[in-house]
């Protein structure tokens, strides 16, 4: 997939790295010279300019992008960029700077698909918002460990299995289970897995793709937004 990221600060650059690690094509827009140099040093394609200007967005390839992440610290730039990108057919993810504004923007910003608060969310959550789907990253708890919530789909190889029959990779373990539209709880070995059920799993990054394939199936690259604390990738700018 192709993504345009506006802002090469801490949130933007970390999000770009996470996307690239999953073999996605990423172009960054930035106007600060030091941040441009840092991003280019990491071999990113960087467009020097204002991400709220349509000409700059077009130079970055917004017309062919699957999604745009407006991840600067400037709310006006982010909102304007999302409005322009939406008209080019992109999924749009807008960073806000204060949590209380989220409700306002969700109510009035029809041009924005997802509103995120990276100070609470982090790069993993920003990536998930850009991708959309049925995998919910809850937290990075160590350098190589992540907690994810996955929703069983029709394509899941384990659909119909019981918890006791579920065989995850050695570096992954089930923490919680919930039937569709019910609260999460401690899993029982006799519980059967069905469409819409949710599993919370602690897994090493190296086996996440295998876990996703088992529990989600063919659409294992899809994800939804996180609402919990990302302890390794949060922060300002």
């Amino acid at each position: 997939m192709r993504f345009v990221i506006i802002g090469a600060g801490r949130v933007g650059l970390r999000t770009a790295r996470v996307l690239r690690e999953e073999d996605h094509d990423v172009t960054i827009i930035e106007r600060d010279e030091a941040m441009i140099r840092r991003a280019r040093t990491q071999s990113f394609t960087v467009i020097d300019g204002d991400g709220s200007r349509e000409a700059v967005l077009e130079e970055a390839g917004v017309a062919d992008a699957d999604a745009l992440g407006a991840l600067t610290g400037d709310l006006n730039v982010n909102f304007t960029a999302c409005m322009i990108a939406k008209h080019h057919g992109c999924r749009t993810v807008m960073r806000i700077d204060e949590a209380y504004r989220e409700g306002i923007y969700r109510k009035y910003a029809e041009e924005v698909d997802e509103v995120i608060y990276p100070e609470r969310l982090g790069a993993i959550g920003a990536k998930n918002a850009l991708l959309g789907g049925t995998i919910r990253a809850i937290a990075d708890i160590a350098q190589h460990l992540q907690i994810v919530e996955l929703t069983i789909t029709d394509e899941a190889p384990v659909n119909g299995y019981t918890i006791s029959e579920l065989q995850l990779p050695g570096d992954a373990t089930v923490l919680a289970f919930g039937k569709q539209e019910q609260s999460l709880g401690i899993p029982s070995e006799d519980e059967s897995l069905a469409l819409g059920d949710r599993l919370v799993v602690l897994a090493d990054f190296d086996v996440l793709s295998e876990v996703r394939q088992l529990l989600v199936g063919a659409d294992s690259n899809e994800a939804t937004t996180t609402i919990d604390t990302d302890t390794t990738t949060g922060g300002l700018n």
Side-chain angles (χ1 to χ4, degrees):
M1 298 176 69
R2 300 187 64 183
F3 298 95
V4 174
I5 301 295
I6 303 174
R10 184 176 181 183
V11 173
L13 197 56
R14 285 176 179 263
T15 302
R17 286 201 298 265
V18 170
L19 288 166
R20 187 172 63 181
E21 286 170 1
E22 296 186 2
D23 296 323
H24 297 295
D25 183 7
V26 182
T27 298
I28 298 174
I29 297 174
E30 178 57 66
R31 56 186 176 183
D32 180 88
E33 290 185 5
M35 291 183 180
I36 290 171
R37 287 195 300 271
R38 182 175 63 174
R40 286 176 175 166
T41 298
Q42 297 182 32
S43 301
F44 283 104
T45 299
V46 184
I47 303 300
D48 184 351
D50 182 348
S52 64
R53 297 176 61 86
E54 187 164 16
V56 174
L57 289 167
E58 289 176 343
E59 184 182 354
V62 69
D64 299 318
D66 294 288
L68 174 137
L71 305 180
T72 78
D74 188 324
L75 193 59
N76 292 324
V77 168
N78 293 346
F79 185 52
T80 301
C82 285
M83 287 193 294
I84 295 170
K86 196 64 177 177
H87 288 295
H88 282 276
C90 276
R91 174 176 173 78
T92 55
V93 174
M94 183 181 74
R95 171 185 176 177
I96 59 173
D97 56 355
E98 295 179 38
Y100 74 87
R101 296 190 182 184
E102 184 170 355
I104 297 173
Y105 276 87
R106 284 194 183 280
K107 183 175 180 179
Y108 295 108
E110 295 181 357
E111 302 295 337
V112 179
D113 291 308
E114 196 75 45
V115 176
I116 64 170
Y117 183 45
E119 288 73 10
R120 182 184 65 203
L121 186 65
I124 293 293
K127 179 209 72 171
N128 291 346
L130 285 160
L131 290 170
T134 52
I135 304 168
R136 180 173 177 263
I138 295 175
D140 289 344
I141 63 170
Q143 185 174 1
H144 297 292
L145 289 175
Q146 185 176 93
I147 297 176
V148 294
E149 180 184 296
L150 304 102
T151 302
I152 303 296
T153 68
D154 281 330
E155 294 79 20
V158 297
N159 201 336
Y161 284 33
T162 64
I163 294 291
S164 63
E165 294 171 328
L166 181 62
Q167 295 186 357
L168 294 179
D171 292 332
T173 186
V174 175
L175 300 179
F177 172 77
K179 299 298 291 183
Q180 186 176 18
E181 298 181 356
Q182 294 183 13
S183 299
L184 292 168
I186 302 300
S188 165
E189 291 187 353
D190 296 329
E191 292 278 10
S192 61
L193 302 175
L195 177 67
D197 292 350
R198 293 164 296 135
L199 284 166
V200 175
V201 177
L202 170 65
D204 189 282
F205 283 178
D206 291 340
V207 300
L208 271 178
S209 61
E210 186 177 348
V211 172
R212 289 167 176 169
Q213 181 59 38
L214 284 170
L215 300 181
V216 178
D219 295 326
S220 60
N221 283 330
E222 292 185 347
T224 62
T225 56
T226 169
I227 60 171
D228 293 275
T229 302
D230 175 340
T231 59
T232 63
T233 54
L236 299 168
N237 297 328

